[in-house]
Amino acid sequence: MALLIGVPQEAAAGEKRVATVPEVVEKLVKLGFQVAVQSGAGDAANCSDEAYRAAGAEVLPDAATLWARADIVFKVRAPSADEVALMRQGGMLIGFVWPAQNPELMQQLAAKGATVLAIDALPRQLSRAQKMDALTSQAGVSGYRAVIEAANAFGRFFNGQITAAGKVQPAKVFIAGAGVAGLAAIGTAANLGAIVRANDTRAEVADQVVSLGGEFVKVDYEEEGSGGGGYAKVMSEGFQQAQREMYAKQAREVDIIITTALIPGKPAPKLITAEMVATMKPGSVIVDMAAEQGGNCELTVPGQAVVRHGVTIVGYTDLASRLAKQSSTLYATNLLRLTEELCKTKDGQVNVNFEDDAIRGLTVIKEGAVTWPAPPPKLPPAPPKAKAEAAPAAKAAKGHGHGSVEPMSAKTLAIVFAVGAVLFWFVGAYAPASFLQHFTVFVLACFVGYMVVWNVTPSLHTPLMSVTNAISSIIAIGALVQVAPPLDAAGAADRPNTLILVCAVLALVLTAINMFGGFAVTRRMLAMFRK
């Protein structure tokens, strides 16, 4: 019998998201599952009970009925103790759990004999896990909303304007942390016309910041900040001191600060001190996206927007929930992709396969046994580095491949030049003047073409040659002149003999193939690089 997926209304205060939406319900039904939704669960996300029914879901009147009947429960927020008490023995829970921060919840779920897949425990370093990465999808929404909240609290335009009433300077925005949320904030603020600066402990994100229209502000201290799973690591005291000095300078210059620094399982680092807030310009705004874990600003009040020293400090903990429809749709899609991995047979049954690194990382409790933390996933081995002494041999071997040739020896080069010189002397001594003129142009064309092609990367030879072949088909003009020679002054044409005519027609046929084929190949290759 097909398993029943239950979607309760979120019990956390102010939470507007819902774990699935009607569009995804239809796809879950196609996988063979039954779906039940608590009445009113999607109202705050603009998903009505009628829409769920139309998609094939059953609407249940209350949470107790849904938790008691559901074989699998989809949730957004971690369940409360009361919700765990309603859960059926041996059921399955999929959603945010945060096992490191909620040891008591883990014990309660284990006592229920439950199987729990924590979407926040997904091994994000696996490329195939990206489609299930709810942390990324929700962080992107939060980063966008952070800029909207900043614009709402800020007293000016983001973009600069010149009006009859005067000139308005563009807002200056500094974003601390260029992870998913930070990059979303950078792109949004830049699109609104602000001057955007950003910093991150991971040097490799600098290019991403610039590509989104921001300026990467580097800390004057050399230390690599990349941690596991796409997160930053805790930096040394020396780096943190240099970072504080940089933040203090930015606080004096910018109008808006958005902080995103957070390492899972640890309190949010204090990046913006009360002294920095006091130096900011009156009317400035700080949006603290780490408020739920204590905040990156010393003066942040989680869940509230407060004014300190004339600066508005926004500490909302429900930024993703403030775009409930969008974030619910993205989250529901993440859970759908996870369900597809659990039910590859499409028969409404799930298989928690520990041989799958992504599923193993997600599973924090299996049938009442705590399996968290998961062992590190098996990543493919890095390609071995070629030894320095093997480089000449590899280069020589490459000469027999695409586009590269082993350099000639001095003796061979001298012989080639000697033969060429004798050939040119022979042509110059015995050929007629008209032939010599055409021969000179031919030799120069060969030399220029050779030098141009020789200096092109071998990987580009195919598109290059296809274009040059098409363009070089100017030879078709010569063939046309032979097929239909021009008339002389008396109106008569000097018809070529049969052999020349046959060669000219054959040249036209081959040239036509060359022209159309060259452009066709080029077009297909360029299409590979277009979205």
Side-chain angles (χ1 to χ4, degrees), residues 54 59 62 78 109 144 173 274 330 347 383 398 411 421 447 479 496:
V59 177
D62 52 52
L109 290 168
Y144 172 87
V173 180
L330 294 174
D347 58 355
K398 187 179 178 183
K411 183 178 179 180
F447 176 75

Side-chain angles (χ1 to χ4, degrees), residues 22-388:
E23 296 84 355
V24 173
V25 167
E26 296 178 356
K27 298 175 182 178
L28 291 172
V29 172
K30 290 180 181 179
L31 287 175
F33 294 96
Q34 301 178 58
V35 182
V37 180
Q38 182 182 344
S39 179
D43 287 351
N46 298 319
C47 298
S48 64
D49 291 350
E50 290 73 19
Y52 282 113
R53 288 193 183 95
E58 180 183 3
V59 177
L60 300 179
D62 52 52
T65 305
L66 185 136
W67 280 91
R69 287 187 51 190
D71 300 296
I72 305 170
V73 175
F74 283 2
K75 269 190 62 61
V76 180
R77 296 269 185 171
S80 63
D82 293 338
E83 288 177 313
V84 175
L86 295 174
M87 187 176 183
R88 65 184 298 177
Q89 192 72 23
M92 178 181 286
L93 173 69
I94 302 177
F96 286 102
V97 177
W98 306 107
Q101 293 96 315
N102 297 308
E104 294 183 2
L105 173 62
M106 291 286 288
Q107 293 302 319
Q108 293 169 1
L109 290 168
K112 280 282 187 176
T115 297
V116 180
L117 275 65
I119 201 72
D120 48 272
L122 180 75
R124 303 170 77 187
Q125 60 268 45
L126 298 176
S127 58
R128 57 179 294 270
Q130 294 178 2
K131 61 185 179 181
M132 301 178 274
D133 191 358
L135 282 172
T136 294
S137 66
Q138 301 304 291
V141 175
S142 297
Y144 172 87
R145 184 68 191 199
V147 176
I148 302 303
E149 295 293 342
N152 181 57
F154 190 50
R156 296 206 327 261
F157 299 131
F158 262 48
N159 63 328
Q161 295 190 18
I162 299 177
T163 69
K167 182 178 180 181
V168 179
Q169 295 291 340
K172 296 180 180 178
V173 180
F174 177 71
I175 297 172
V180 176
L183 291 173
I186 291 167
T188 305
N191 288 338
L192 289 175
I195 297 173
V196 185
R197 304 168 184 171
N199 168 260
D200 197 280
T201 58
R202 298 160 294 182
E204 65 267 20
V205 304
D207 291 339
Q208 300 176 37
V209 171
V210 174
S211 69
L212 290 170
E215 173 192 353
F216 188 79
V217 182
K218 192 174 185 297
V219 177
D220 190 16
Y221 192 98
E222 293 298 328
E223 183 176 351
E224 176 54 42
S226 296
Y231 297 101
K233 69 176 184 180
V234 178
M235 307 300 286
S236 67
E237 181 56 38
F239 182 92
Q240 292 181 33
Q241 177 59 36
Q243 188 182 53
R244 282 192 288 269
E245 293 174 0
M246 183 269 291
Y247 283 158
K249 178 182 177 182
Q250 294 299 323
R252 292 190 297 269
E253 296 179 0
V254 302
D255 304 298
I256 296 168
I257 295 178
I258 299 175
T259 65
T260 70
L262 192 61
I263 299 175
K266 299 181 182 294
K270 300 299 181 184
L271 305 179
I272 309 299
T273 64
E275 291 77 13
M276 295 181 195
V277 176
T279 64
M280 294 182 72
K281 292 175 282 189
S284 298
V285 178
I286 296 175
V287 180
D288 194 339
M289 296 184 64
E292 195 166 7
Q293 299 299 324
N296 296 136
C297 177
E298 289 182 345
L299 302 181
T300 296
V301 178
Q304 298 182 33
V306 298
V307 179
R308 300 287 186 269
H309 305 292
V311 177
T312 302
I313 304 173
V314 179
Y316 297 147
T317 58
D318 60 345
L319 290 173
S321 182
R322 289 171 179 254
L323 288 170
K325 177 64 175 180
Q326 181 68 75
S327 53
S328 295
T329 301
L330 294 174
Y331 183 69
T333 303
N334 293 140
L335 295 191
L336 170 65
R337 301 308 174 205
L338 171 56
T339 307
E340 289 174 342
E341 293 296 315
L342 293 170
C343 180
K344 293 185 177 181
T345 54
K346 299 184 179 180
D347 58 355
Q349 302 294 322
V350 295
N351 176 28
V352 183
N353 180 16
F354 271 23
E355 297 299 319
D356 186 323
D357 285 337
I359 301 301
R360 176 63 188 91
L362 284 166
T363 307
V364 296
I365 300 175
K366 186 174 183 181
E367 298 176 357
V370 176
T371 59
W372 182 86
K378 301 172 186 176
L379 298 177
K385 294 183 179 179
K387 295 182 179 179

